[in-house]
Amino acid sequence: VGVLGPWSCDPVLARALPEVASRLAVARLNRDPELTAGYWWDAVLLSEPCSAPQAVAGVVGAERYASAIVGPLNPAACGAAALLAAAWNKPLVAWTCGGNDGGAAVTLLRPLPAPAAVLHAVLRYFRWAHVAVVAAPQELWVDTAQEVAKELRAKGLPVTVVTAAGEEEEEAEEALRRVQRADGVRVILMCMHSVLLGGREQKVLLEKAEDLGMTDGTFVFIPYDALTFALPYRRVPYPVLANNTKLRLAYDAVLTVTVDSPDASFHEALDEAKKAYEVPTDLDPAEV
C-alpha cells in the first residue's frame, strides 16, 4: 500500500510521522487473521508534491510501487488520481476527495464522509448560508479552498469570497476586510493548518479578526483541516491558547467540527502504542 502525502514539502504534515503510522498499521493488520485474508501487507511512503499538477505526476509514479494507494491529500488531484486508479484497477483510499469525481470513482474509496457534505449538514442545521473561504497561500491550501467552495456552491450555498492570507498581518487584514465588504457572510471557513497544531496563518488571521471586532459572534470561524482527522478535544490543554490572551478571546468565535474518537483520543492511543513498544518510546504525543 502506497501512502501518498506532502510529507517533504509541508512541515506540519511531516509531524504526522507517516512512516511510523504506516508501520504501526501494517503490523497490526498482519497480526489479525480476519483482516489479512492470507495476504502479507506492507506499506511504502510516497511523497506528494504540494502543487496540484506535480501531485498528479506523483500518483502516476505510484503505480510501480503499490497495489493500492492511500491519498492524495490535495483534493485538486482527486479527479485525475481517480481516473488513473480506475485504469489500473487499483483501490485509491482518499479521505480528502469530494463527491464530484463522477464515473471515474469506480475504485475510489472514501473512508470518511466528504468534508463539504459534513459542512453542508452543519450549516443547514444552524441556517447559515453565506460562506467565505480564507486559505493559507500554499498551493495545497489554495486548491483545497477552491475545491470546497465549488462543492458548497454545487449544494446551493452562496460562497461569495475565496481568498488567501499568509503570515503577515496586512494579508490577514486585507482578507478579512474583503469578508466584511461582502454581503451577508456568516461563516468563514479557514483552509489552513489549525493554530492548535502550530498553524501560523490561522493564528495571525484570528488575532487580526479580534482586532477588527469580528469575533463577537457576528462571524463563525470553522477550521477545515479538523474535518479530516480526530482532533483531540476532551481534557486537552493547548499551550498556544493558554499563553496568548488575544488568541484565546478570538477562539471563542471558532466552531470546530472534527471526527469523533470515542474509544481513545489520538494522544491516548499513541501513548498506549508507546507502552506496548509498537512505536518509538521517545515520541511526545503532544508534538505529533
Side-chain angles (χ1 to χ4, degrees), residues 59-92:
V59 176
V60 173
E63 185 196 10
R64 300 194 305 273
Y65 298 102
S67 49
I69 300 166
V70 174
L73 259 72
N74 189 330
C78 285
L83 279 170
L84 288 168
W88 302 329
N89 194 31
K90 291 186 178 186
L92 181 75

Side-chain angles (χ1 to χ4, degrees), residues 17-39:
L17 303 186
E19 190 169 358
V20 174
S22 304
R23 209 162 49 235
L24 175 63
V26 294
R28 290 182 174 179
L29 188 61
N30 288 324
R31 287 203 304 265
D32 190 332
E34 289 187 13
L35 293 175
T36 56
Y39 293 98

Side-chain angles (χ1 to χ4, degrees), residues 67-225:
S67 49
I69 300 166
V70 174
L73 259 72
N74 189 330
C78 285
L83 279 170
L84 288 168
W88 302 329
N89 194 31
K90 291 186 178 186
L92 181 75
V93 183
W95 65 95
T96 60
C97 291
N100 297 327
D101 302 302
V106 289
T107 62
L108 174 62
L109 309 171
R110 298 184 182 89
L112 297 173
V118 176
L119 264 176
H120 182 251
V122 172
L123 297 173
R124 187 175 56 189
Y125 177 83
F126 288 110
R127 299 182 183 275
W128 295 332
H130 288 72
V131 179
V133 184
V134 181
Q138 294 84 16
E139 196 166 338
L140 170 67
W141 288 117
V142 172
D143 289 340
T144 299
Q146 291 170 344
E147 287 295 315
V148 74
K150 185 169 67 176
E151 289 184 44
L152 289 176
R153 286 174 184 140
K155 294 179 183 296
L157 296 182
V159 183
T160 50
V161 175
V162 180
T163 187
E167 297 184 14
E168 299 299 324
E169 287 190 21
E170 295 78 11
E171 296 174 76
E173 181 169 359
E174 184 179 340
L176 291 169
R177 294 288 188 197
R178 282 193 63 188
V179 173
Q180 286 179 319
R181 289 193 296 269
D183 185 35
V185 171
R186 187 74 177 90
V187 172
I188 299 171
L189 181 64
M190 300 180 291
C191 289
M192 52 188 67
H193 287 301
S194 170
V195 65
L196 302 181
L197 306 179
R200 171 74 183 164
E201 291 89 355
Q202 193 175 105
K203 175 179 180 291
V204 173
L205 186 75
L206 289 172
E207 287 178 342
K208 183 52 65 176
E210 175 70 17
D211 290 339
L212 297 175
M214 297 174 68
T215 58
D216 61 356
T218 308
F219 297 94
V220 179
F221 293 79
I222 299 181
Y224 176 86
D225 67 330

